């Protein structure tokens, strides 16, 4: 996840550094040239509208400062609401987006021949290609094993069709699954694939063990039970133990009497079935390989072995059936390993309208009941990265808050006032999660990025108010409540302007505008929802928290020194243009 967010972090960091340099140099120069201090009679229309809101805000702020206990209860309610919404919000990882293609993985019966598999693949590709929004479907036989294949379907440009890739897949799935003897797994791959194992579905659950008999039995039973879970679909595993096979057993005593060695039998089989190259014909412009093999019609059934003869040491031709016996059975088509141990990987996809967190929780609960302790089981690939990302992103969010607290503590030379500034973050998280919940979006990787962005966007409201209030306390000897009241009213207009600007800037992302916009939409929804709720709540809660923490700071100072708190040394007052 850190590597995925690296470019985003570099972009934001450089933008902040450049904008900071511009704000400290170019902006003051432009302000000295273009600001007009004379306001026309009656004021501007925008100024009048903001004045109406400012007066309404003044009345609400007086009411909040008068009933501080109720306001603090509202703050704890937002804190609890943020936690509750986080626990119930459906969580995802990297969302899929319409990139003009999708993948269809198919699997047939074990032991199927290449020709039969090719016919089924062509039939499935023709059905996909017949869709009016599909431009081409390219089938590939033998993706890992002979009974599996892949079809890459390319779609028309998004402007030329009315359906997105997910809807096209939903319409084609019931048509392709009607092909007898063919399992179909269709998916719209995410733009970033963090999995390393190729499976039929994007999410994997792997079981390991040294006792292969027990491992295969548990994996088979778990796969059948997972097929009944309503949260997932396209369930399959890579356990291929029913491949029809023919064992050719040599009667060594009989072969020794007739003068036939096992090496002679091996050479006959190699020449008949393995496309043995015996020579090369060099022409003027090309070369041709000479291949020894049976006619294709004699390579289809084991009964053809009865027509083969082995040359004995005496020079006579001995029928192969005289020195061998055929034994039919079943065996593994492939044996998979993970970490040098035999393993079985069960792949699955989420059902329509089900988040990845709900699907993994259902699989984990089922595995806890069915998988014994001596069979290690864990998620792999995208599912594993999703579970680890939930923890890492939470740690990342806490680290961001901790770093901001330290930086603000250094700048304000206080342990208390940074907490006042950070007190508005729960309301931002509440708004972000509520917006995702209302619009039915998952809290995925992009949504987490939006929440982390809110940490930097929302705290500027409190910084504007508290910076003014501290200056008023130090330079004008105001009471803390009076200072924060004046600071909130004075900073109301720039707070509204910056919030509206940020909201309008992120609105196209929230609307899902542009190619791949549906994948980035959770980011825009989280930022827009957080801005709306935090703007409405922190303008009232932050002043009350400031008064409480200022009293706490003075109380601690009095207890430590035994004397009333001494006012801090005044700092140079900043020039403020109301």
């Amino acid at each position: 996840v850190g590597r995925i967010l690296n470019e985003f972090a570099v972009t934001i960091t450089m933008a902040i550094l450049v904008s900071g340099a511009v704000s400290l140099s170019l902006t003051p120069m432009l302000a000295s040239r273009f600001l007009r201090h004379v306001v026309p009679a009656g004021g501007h229309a925008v100024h009048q509208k903001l004045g109406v809101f400012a007066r309404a805000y003044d009345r609400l702020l007086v009411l909040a400062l008068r009933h501080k206990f109720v306001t603090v209860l509202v703050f704890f309610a937002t804190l609890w609401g943020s936690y509750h919404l986080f626990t119930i919000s459906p969580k995802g990882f990297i969302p899929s987006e319409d990139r003009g293609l999708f993948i269809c993985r198919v699997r047939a019966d074990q032991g199927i021949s290449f020709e039969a598999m090719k016919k089924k693949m062509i039939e499935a590709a023709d059905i996909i290609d017949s869709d009016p929004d599909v431009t081409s479907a390219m089938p590939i036989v033998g993706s890992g094993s002979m009974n599996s294949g892949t079809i890459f379907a390319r779609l028309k440009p998004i402007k030329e069709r009315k359906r997105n890739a997910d809807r096209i897949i939903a319409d084609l799935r019931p048509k392709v699954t009607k092909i007898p003897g063919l399992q179909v797994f269709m998916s719209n791959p995410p733009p970033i694939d963090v999995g390393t194992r190729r499976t039929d579905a994007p999410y994997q659950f792997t079981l390991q063990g040294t006792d292969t008999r027990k491992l295969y039995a548990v994996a088979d039973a778990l796969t059948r039970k997972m097929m009944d879970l309503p949260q997932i679909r396209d369930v399959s595993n890579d356990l291929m133990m029913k491949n029809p096979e023919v064992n050719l057993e040599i009667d060594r005593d009989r072969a020794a009497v007739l003068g036939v060695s096992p090496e002679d039998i091996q050479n006959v089989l190699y020449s008949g079935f393995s496309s043995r190259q015996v020579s090369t014909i060099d022409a003027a412009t090309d070369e041709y390989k000479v291949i020894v093999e049976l006619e294709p019609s004699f390579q289809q059934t084991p009964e053809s072995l009865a027509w083969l003869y082995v040359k004995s040491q005496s020079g006579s031709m001995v029928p192969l059936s005289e020195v061998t016996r055929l034994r039919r059975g079943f065996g593994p088509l492939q044996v998979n390993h993970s970490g040098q141990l035999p393993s079985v990987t069960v792949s699955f996809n989420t059902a329509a309208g089900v988040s990845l967190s709900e699907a993994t929780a259902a699989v984990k609960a089922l595995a806890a009941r069915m998988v014994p302790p001596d069979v290690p089981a864990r998620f792999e690939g995208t599912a594993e990265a999703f579970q680890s990302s939930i923890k890492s992103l939470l740690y990342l969010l806490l680290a961001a808050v901790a770093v901001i607290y330290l930086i603000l503590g250094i700048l304000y030379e206080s342990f208390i006032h940074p907490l006042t500034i950070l007190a508005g973050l729960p309301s931002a998280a509440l708004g972000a999660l509520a917006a995702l919940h209302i619009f039915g979006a998952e809290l995925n990787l992009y949504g987490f990025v939006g929440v982390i962005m809110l940490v930097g966007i929302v705290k500027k409201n409190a910084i504007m108010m508290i910076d003014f209030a501290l200056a008023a306390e130090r330079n004008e000897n105001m009471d803390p409540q009076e200072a924060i009241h004046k600071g909130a009213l004075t900073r109301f207009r720039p707070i509204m302007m910056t919030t509206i600007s940020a909201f309008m800037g992120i609105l196209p992302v929230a609307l899902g505008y542009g190619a791949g916009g549906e994948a980035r939409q959770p980011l825009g929804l989280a930022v827009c929802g957080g801005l709306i709720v935090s703007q409405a709540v922190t303008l009232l809660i932050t002043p009350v928290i400031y008064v409480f923490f200022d009293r706490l700071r003075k109380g601690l100072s009095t207890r430590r020194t035994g004397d009333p708190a001494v006012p801090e040394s005044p700092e140079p007052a900043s020039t403020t243009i109301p």
Side-chain angles (χ1 to χ4, degrees):
V1 174
R3 292 193 297 270
I4 295 173
L5 299 179
N6 181 66
E7 290 82 0
F8 172 81
V10 171
T11 302
I12 295 296
T13 302
M14 294 306 299
I16 291 175
L17 292 176
V18 173
S19 65
V22 171
S23 299
L24 295 174
S25 58
L26 181 62
T27 303
M29 185 277 293
L30 294 177
S32 67
R33 296 294 186 270
F34 294 102
L35 280 184
R36 297 292 181 266
H37 301 285
V38 179
V39 180
H44 296 292
V46 176
H47 183 77
Q48 292 178 353
K49 296 294 183 182
L50 287 177
V52 174
F53 287 110
R55 289 190 292 271
Y57 170 60
D58 186 15
R59 290 192 291 269
L60 291 175
L61 181 58
V62 171
L63 189 64
L65 291 172
R66 186 178 301 166
H67 303 281
K68 298 182 182 65
F69 182 75
V70 177
T71 307
V72 173
L73 289 181
V74 173
F75 166 74
F76 284 108
T78 60
L79 192 63
W80 178 87
S82 301
Y83 172 78
H84 178 68
L85 280 179
F86 177 79
T87 55
I88 67 173
S89 294
K91 300 173 184 64
F93 189 42
I94 302 176
S96 60
E97 62 181 63
D98 194 337
R99 297 186 295 160
L101 60 89
F102 65 86
I103 297 176
C104 176
R105 302 192 188 278
V106 299
R107 183 184 294 186
D109 297 331
Q110 300 179 35
I112 190 172
S113 65
F114 175 80
E115 292 295 330
M117 186 65 185
K118 184 175 71 173
K119 292 180 181 179
K120 292 182 180 294
M121 290 291 293
I122 293 176
E123 184 180 357
D126 290 340
I127 293 176
I128 295 175
D129 197 27
S130 64
D131 190 278
D133 290 331
V134 177
T135 58
S136 63
M138 183 179 68
I140 299 176
V141 179
S143 300
S145 58
M146 186 57 65
N147 70 323
S148 61
T150 305
I151 300 175
F152 295 93
R154 185 167 296 278
L155 306 177
K156 293 180 179 179
I158 193 169
K159 295 181 180 179
E160 300 179 11
R161 49 187 167 91
K162 297 181 179 179
R163 300 175 298 169
N164 58 18
D166 293 329
R167 184 59 189 171
I168 295 173
I169 291 174
D171 294 339
L172 284 173
R173 181 177 280 112
K175 299 179 182 179
V176 183
T177 52
K178 292 181 179 179
I179 301 176
L182 201 67
Q183 292 179 287
V184 181
F185 310 95
M186 307 178 74
S187 62
N188 180 19
I192 302 174
D193 188 5
V194 298
T196 58
R197 187 188 298 270
R198 176 176 292 182
T199 54
D200 297 326
Y203 309 114
Q204 298 91 33
F205 187 75
T206 299
L207 295 86
Q208 293 177 289
T210 55
D211 186 351
T212 55
R213 180 175 299 180
K214 183 176 183 180
L215 171 66
Y216 295 158
V218 172
D220 188 58
L222 179 64
T223 303
R224 290 196 299 269
K225 287 294 184 180
M226 287 177 61
M227 291 180 179
D228 299 331
L229 293 177
Q231 295 90 348
I232 60 177
R233 64 184 178 192
D234 299 339
V235 180
S236 66
N237 60 38
D238 57 2
L239 182 61
M240 300 182 184
M241 304 299 296
K242 299 180 180 179
N243 180 47
E245 62 182 18
V246 175
N247 295 318
L248 193 66
E249 298 180 354
I250 301 175
D251 188 345
R252 296 182 180 272
D253 295 335
R254 179 70 174 169
V257 171
L258 297 176
V260 177
S261 67
E263 184 180 359
D264 296 332
I265 299 174
Q266 180 181 357
N267 288 332
V268 170
L269 296 176
Y270 182 34
S271 299
F273 298 96
S274 297
S275 301
R276 183 175 189 174
Q277 180 181 350
V278 295
S279 180
T280 302
I281 299 176
D282 295 320
T285 58
D286 205 344
E287 64 178 23
Y288 303 91
K289 297 178 180 180
V290 180
I291 305 297
V292 177
E293 65 177 359
L294 292 172
E295 287 285 344
S297 59
F298 292 98
Q299 298 182 13
Q300 304 300 320
T301 60
E303 284 74 15
S304 301
L305 294 173
W307 296 88
L308 298 180
Y309 286 79
V310 184
K311 188 175 182 179
S312 66
Q313 295 178 357
S314 62
S316 61
M317 303 300 293
V318 179
L320 185 63
S321 58
E322 287 291 324
V323 293
T324 59
R325 292 187 300 271
L326 290 180
R327 189 179 300 276
R328 297 175 182 268
F330 296 93
L333 184 61
Q334 61 185 23
V335 178
N336 298 287
H337 290 76
S338 294
Q340 300 181 350
L341 291 177
S343 66
V344 178
T345 298
V346 184
S347 60
F348 62 93
N349 202 349
T350 57
V354 177
S355 65
L356 181 57
S357 61
E358 296 170 338
T360 54
V363 173
K364 189 175 181 179
L366 178 64
R369 298 194 303 268
M370 295 190 60
V371 180
D374 56 343
V375 179
R378 68 180 188 277
F379 289 101
E380 279 194 347
T382 304
E384 180 187 19
F386 160 73
Q387 290 202 322
S388 63
S389 70
I390 295 296
K391 298 179 181 178
S392 62
L393 285 171
L394 286 176
Y395 292 149
L396 180 62
L397 181 60
L398 293 176
V401 173
V403 170
I404 291 174
Y405 173 81
L406 293 176
I407 296 298
L408 292 176
I410 295 172
L411 295 177
Y412 282 105
E413 298 182 356
S414 171
F415 292 103
I416 299 297
H417 290 307
L419 295 176
T420 309
I421 296 173
L422 296 175
L425 298 183
S427 62
L430 176 65
L433 297 173
L436 294 174
H437 186 73
I438 291 172
F439 289 94
E442 296 179 342
L443 179 59
N444 53 31
L445 180 63
Y446 296 125
F448 265 110
V449 171
V451 174
I452 294 174
M453 286 180 62
L454 280 173
V455 175
I457 296 175
V458 171
K459 63 181 176 56
K460 54 88 183 171
N461 293 352
I463 290 177
M464 289 185 184
M465 291 187 289
I466 293 174
D467 185 69
F468 186 95
L470 289 176
E473 280 192 65
R474 292 166 178 168
N475 302 327
E476 302 179 20
N477 294 324
M478 284 188 177
D479 178 77
Q481 180 165 326
E482 181 184 0
I484 193 63
H485 185 203
K486 183 178 180 180
L489 294 179
T490 304
R491 299 299 195 188
F492 176 76
R493 179 170 179 171
I495 288 174
M496 292 295 297
M497 291 170 61
T498 53
T499 301
I500 293 174
S501 299
F503 180 86
M504 298 305 295
I506 203 68
L507 186 60
V509 181
L511 296 176
Y513 180 77
E518 69 277 3
R520 300 186 298 270
Q521 197 170 19
L523 188 152
L525 291 174
V527 175
C528 286
L531 287 174
I532 292 174
V533 176
S534 65
Q535 185 76 356
V537 176
T538 57
L539 286 175
L540 300 176
I541 290 180
T542 301
V544 176
I545 298 295
Y546 176 84
V547 174
F548 270 115
F549 279 156
D550 193 83
R551 292 176 179 175
L552 177 63
R553 178 182 62 83
K554 293 180 178 178
L556 293 176
S557 178
T558 302
R559 182 177 301 177
R560 183 171 60 252
T561 61
D563 297 323
V566 180
E568 301 180 23
S569 58
E571 296 183 357
S574 57
T575 304
T576 303
I577 302 176

